[in-house]
């Protein structure tokens, strides 16, 4: 399956201490398919449909990304992009290596 990349990732809070980075359409669809069946509503259904339509080439990719962001905002799980990504943070002096 060919993944269609978003122009910018969408960050979603899955739990208090876990933020998901959704970078492509396949990840968005997987996230929505795994959403609790008890919490699904018309907004969830419309978002998932927009993603499938974009996947099949019937809608622009940006429509699916915007729908995912709107869904996440409505559910209170949309997170702004982290100011500093963890793998970019400078290590402390020495980096844990032992000097000869």
């Amino acid at each position: 399956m060919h993944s269609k990349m978003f122009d910018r990732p969408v960050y979603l809070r899955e739990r208090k201490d876990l933020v998901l980075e959704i970078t492509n359409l396949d990840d968005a669809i997987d996230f929505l398919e795994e959403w609790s069946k008890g919490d699904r509503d018309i907004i969830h259904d419309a978002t998932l449909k927009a993603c499938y339509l974009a996947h099949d080439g019937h809608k622009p990719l940006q429509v699916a990304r915007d729908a995912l962001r709107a869904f996440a905002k409505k559910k209170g799980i949309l997170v702004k992009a982290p100011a500093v990504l963890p793998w970019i943070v400078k290590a402390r002096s020495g980096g844990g290596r032992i000097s000869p």
Side-chain angles (χ1 to χ4, degrees):
M1 183 181 275
H2 175 61
S3 73
K4 298 178 180 183
M5 300 297 291
F6 291 148
D7 59 345
R8 291 180 318 276
V10 177
Y11 296 95
L12 308 175
R13 182 169 312 283
E14 188 172 57
R15 293 190 303 264
K16 181 181 178 186
D17 57 347
L18 179 64
V19 174
L20 298 177
E21 179 182 48
I22 306 295
T23 60
N24 61 61
L25 193 54
D26 293 336
D27 290 347
I29 291 172
D30 288 344
F31 175 80
L32 292 166
E33 287 288 355
E34 292 172 7
W35 192 259
S36 171
K37 292 196 188 292
D39 278 342
R40 293 184 183 188
D41 56 12
I42 193 166
I43 298 169
H44 174 274
D45 294 343
T47 305
L48 188 57
K49 183 176 180 178
C51 288
Y52 277 126
L53 287 171
H55 183 271
D56 294 342
H58 300 293
K59 294 276 185 190
L61 189 58
Q62 188 63 38
V63 169
R65 183 182 180 281
D66 291 346
L68 180 63
R69 283 182 46 81
F71 170 79
K73 187 173 183 178
K74 179 72 174 169
K75 296 296 181 180
I77 60 171
L78 182 64
V79 178
K80 289 184 179 181
V84 178
L85 300 176
W87 58 88
I88 297 176
V89 175
K90 183 178 177 184
R92 287 190 220 156
S93 174
R97 296 184 181 173
I98 299 174
S99 299

